[in-house]
Amino acid sequence: MLLLAMDTATPAVTVALHDGDAVVAASSQVDARRHGELLMPAVDRVLKEAGLKLDAVTGIVVGVGPGPYTGLRVGLVTAAAFSSALGVPVHGLCTLDGLAYAAGIDEPFAVATDARRKEVYWARYDDSRTRVTDAAVDRPADIAERLAGLPVVGAGARLYPDAFPDARDPEHQSAAALAGLAAERLAAGGEGFLDPLPMYLRRPDAQVPKNYKVVTPQ
């Protein structure tokens, strides 16, 4: 097994290789505006570090979000292209599940990432491997009471300390954690994966104007 994992649903552009037992190589850069520029060099970097070529990969793991439209699509399109070129499967995982797995917490907690517009993407967990709510998007103040007393992992917790006073690491997503979670699920029979399609929880910022002015001749 050699899994190539990637996630671009958050400001972290993160890539890792996992051989089924451990992470072989990993790369992460935090830059919310350069997903398209940074992803492929990161893939090249981890392959070079591992001393492997792309055709050694036996499966792709990709974070499906939730996340902003443009960044999220970069990882999903790249994963689909690799899958088609190599003839290997793509395993989709919720981005929040990767952060939860990396946290390694064995008691109830939540994960919250920055959704912009003064909102967070979030979900609640019984432990680092068990999500008990669907991913959602809300204003921090609207969910603070529901998550009161719980540790909250991720950048969302650090952005809104009044709503989430017990912020925990990691702050950013890690493809190494995503790959580790995928390897565990594959070893257990391959259950728990999502279709490699974007998890959009709201409409895009860009909208076609209603009542726009016609400037072409009639």
Side-chain angles (χ1 to χ4, degrees):
M1 179 189 297
L2 185 67
L3 301 175
L4 174 63
M6 63 189 72
D7 197 320
T8 59
T10 72
V13 180
T14 180
V15 178
L17 284 169
H18 196 291
D19 66 5
D21 294 317
V23 174
V24 178
S27 172
S28 292
Q29 293 173 268
V30 178
D31 191 325
R33 298 182 180 276
R34 298 177 63 214
H35 296 84
E37 297 174 45
L38 297 176
L39 181 58
M40 287 304 300
V43 171
D44 290 341
R45 208 159 38 244
V46 297
L47 288 168
K48 183 176 181 180
E49 181 181 336
L52 297 168
K53 294 187 180 297
L54 185 60
D55 59 9
V57 169
T58 61
I60 310 294
V61 180
V62 65
V64 303
Y69 284 71
T70 303
L72 176 55
R73 285 197 297 263
V74 170
L76 286 164
V77 169
T78 303
F82 284 155
S83 172
S84 178
L86 299 172
V88 300
V90 182
H91 308 290
L93 286 173
C94 176
T95 293
L96 302 179
D97 290 355
L99 281 156
Y101 184 81
I105 299 174
D106 292 325
E107 61 184 8
F109 69 102
V111 173
T113 61
D114 183 16
R116 304 175 185 172
R117 303 187 195 174
K118 299 182 179 179
E119 294 178 328
V120 293
Y121 296 119
W122 69 280
R124 185 167 174 162
Y125 293 78
D126 272 349
D127 56 54
S128 61
R129 294 170 173 82
T130 311
R131 178 161 45 88
V132 294
T133 66
D134 290 334
V137 59
D138 287 289
R139 289 183 176 273
D142 294 340
I143 58 173
E145 186 173 343
R146 296 170 63 182
L147 302 183
L150 294 180
V152 182
V153 171
R158 300 191 180 280
L159 282 171
Y160 304 102
D162 290 343
F164 312 122
D166 189 2
R168 301 283 183 93
D169 289 332
E171 181 176 356
H172 295 294
Q173 174 69 312
S174 161
L178 205 67
L181 177 59
E184 280 192 10
R185 291 186 178 180
L186 287 168
E191 298 295 325
F193 291 106
L194 303 172
D195 291 334
L197 301 172
M199 186 185 293
Y200 293 143
L201 299 184
R202 65 185 182 202
R203 296 182 64 82
D205 293 325
Q207 299 287 336
V208 176
K210 300 177 178 178
N211 306 320
Y212 59 86
K213 183 179 179 180
V214 177
V215 295
T216 56
Q218 298 294 319

